[in-house]
Amino acid sequence: MRPSGRKLSDMRPISIETGVMRHAEGSCLISCGHTRVLCSATIEDKAPPFLKGSGQGWVTAEYGMLPRATNSRNRREAASGKQSGRTQEIQRLIGRSLRAGVDRRALGERQIVIDCDVIQADGGTRCASITGGWVALRLAVNKLLTAGVISSDPIMDHVAAVSCGIYAGQPIVDLDYAEDSEAGTDGNFIMTGAGRLIEVQMSAEGATFSRPEMNQLLDLAEAGIAELVLAQKEAIV
């Protein structure tokens, strides 16, 4: 029933390759099917001005899509002189999702910037960015711990994200572009490794959805995120 031939509950193949950028404190290339995102973490020795003297750190994110990440060329946002509303919304989502899994006081007054660059898009780029961004963040924090810069681990839990939706009347997990573009209902679920919800984005793209259908999507998301967390653990061993 699905264009890819997957079962309703089947995730796309997941791959996370770490250490792909020489100079970044943490980096990975995450592939979810044909969607591929390059994620890097940069440690800055001071927190943003609004946190000065607070004893707390910050995690923020930037997101971008290369011109030929899709089937037609997109103009670079730098060429237009401003980011699109979509880009701003996605990078804010990535930042606040990752912050939910961090004890910012244990991080100390420093900032970690997560850069997520989509090199190939086939649906679920924001979810892949969150999942891969957490791996880059984890690797960067490991360096701080190893160097003795911080004394306790500020990362409280894994953070991962997956899309779910209703396609051709059926609830499915991890939508690719063909499914996402035709889904009657589309949602993004961000959770911790313990299964606690960080954020849920749900919208009726073409048809309204019921409470039981939303529960089905949540069940699919929980199972999908468990797979993503396992992939994260295998990547950082």
Side-chain angles (χ1 to χ4, degrees):
M1 188 274 297
R2 301 181 71 171
S4 63
R6 287 183 285 153
K7 296 178 182 178
L8 302 180
S9 60
D10 281 353
M11 297 280 287
R12 291 176 289 182
I14 305 161
S15 170
I16 304 176
E17 180 186 357
T18 60
V20 295
M21 300 182 72
R22 178 180 181 183
H23 302 292
E25 281 79 24
S27 67
C28 76
L29 175 63
I30 182 169
S31 300
C32 299
H34 293 300
T35 289
R36 306 181 75 198
V37 184
L38 182 63
C39 304
S40 64
T42 300
I43 300 171
E44 298 179 346
D45 289 332
K46 61 180 180 179
F50 66 88
L51 287 175
K52 186 175 181 180
S54 69
Q56 297 183 68
W58 193 247
V59 177
T60 188
E62 293 190 11
Y63 168 95
M65 187 175 292
L66 296 184
R68 281 316 308 266
T70 59
N71 58 9
S72 61
R73 187 182 187 277
N74 294 307
R75 189 183 183 198
R76 293 183 189 273
E77 291 185 336
S80 64
K82 64 178 181 178
Q83 291 180 317
S84 69
R86 175 183 181 274
T87 295
Q88 293 180 57
E89 185 268 327
I90 290 175
Q91 61 190 27
R92 287 171 184 156
L93 171 66
I94 298 167
R96 66 178 176 265
S97 297
L98 296 176
R99 285 194 298 273
V102 173
D103 178 348
R104 295 193 290 117
R105 191 163 294 278
L107 183 59
E109 285 196 36
R110 58 181 51 81
Q111 176 169 260
I112 301 181
V113 182
I114 307 298
D115 286 292
C116 302
D117 293 286
V118 180
I119 61 176
Q120 187 165 276
D122 186 32
T125 61
R126 72 185 67 193
C127 292
S129 296
I130 292 168
T131 303
W134 183 90
V135 172
L137 175 63
R138 172 75 271 179
L139 294 171
V141 167
N142 285 351
K143 288 193 173 183
L144 289 174
L145 288 165
T146 300
V149 176
I150 54 177
S151 58
S152 61
D153 190 355
I155 295 184
M156 300 181 292
D157 202 349
H158 289 253
V159 173
V162 71
S163 63
C164 294
I166 299 175
Y167 173 81
Q170 296 290 327
I172 61 173
V173 67
D174 196 17
L175 283 69
D176 57 29
Y177 178 76
E179 295 164 339
D180 186 44
S181 61
E182 297 292 334
T185 297
D186 184 25
N188 298 300
F189 296 79
I190 302 98
M191 299 183 188
T192 67
R196 295 187 64 83
L197 289 166
I198 294 173
E199 187 158 339
V200 176
Q201 300 179 326
M202 290 284 294
S203 59
E205 300 285 352
T208 57
F209 55 96
S210 67
R211 174 68 175 271
E213 286 174 326
M214 183 172 181
N215 290 341
Q216 287 180 299
L217 295 178
L218 182 56
D219 289 341
L220 288 171
E222 284 182 330
I225 284 176
E227 288 189 38
L228 292 167
V229 168
L230 179 60
Q232 289 176 329
K233 289 179 179 179
E234 292 175 344
I236 59 176
V237 170

